């Protein structure tokens, strides 16, 4: 099975994590807030503190990952993710 990274692993991310874990995948979920690590762990996912506004904080979370799920939720301006995603892909390549 695949190792999946979920950025960020808030309410929707935790639901996705739970379903992926139940399907047999290894899941790592990110949060900016260390107080939310227990909620991520409760889904069966490996919790990780990282900030999508600071791509360098996510680089270690990518170890062994084959799928990245970048959840945008209710972002009022999706263009806010353009720079983040571009930088992430540039660092990955």
């Amino acid at each position: 099975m695949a190792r999946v990274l979920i950025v960020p692993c808030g309410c929707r991310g935790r639901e996705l994590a739970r379903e992926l874990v139940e399907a047999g995948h290894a899941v790592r979920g990110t949060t900016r807030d260390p107080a939310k690590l227990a909620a991520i762990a409760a889904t069966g996912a490996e919790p990780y503190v990282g900030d999508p506004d600071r791509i360098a904080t996510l680089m270690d979370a990518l170890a062994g990952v084959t799928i990245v799920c970048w959840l945008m939720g209710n972002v009022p301006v999706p263009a806010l993710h353009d720079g983040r995603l571009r930088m992430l892909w540039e660092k990955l390549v």
Side-chain angles (χ1 to χ4, degrees):
M1 292 290 160
R3 175 173 296 280
V4 181
L5 175 65
I6 300 174
V7 182
C9 202
C11 293
R12 291 182 180 137
R14 288 191 303 271
E15 183 58 34
L16 176 59
R18 191 173 292 107
E19 291 179 21
L20 289 169
V21 168
E22 287 175 6
H25 298 284
V27 179
R28 185 175 292 145
T30 69
T31 181
R32 294 177 180 164
D33 184 357
K36 296 182 179 176
L37 293 174
I40 294 170
T43 69
E46 174 190 351
Y48 183 91
V49 175
D51 185 343
D53 286 329
R54 300 178 62 219
I55 296 299
T57 67
L58 299 175
M59 297 314 290
D60 287 341
L62 292 163
V65 167
T66 53
I67 300 169
V68 176
C69 296
W70 192 284
L71 306 181
M72 294 174 56
N74 294 335
V75 175
V77 183
L80 291 174
H81 287 277
D82 288 349
R84 294 173 185 156
L85 290 171
R86 187 177 312 109
M87 183 181 295
L88 177 65
W89 302 140
E90 288 171 358
K91 289 193 179 290
L92 288 175
V93 173

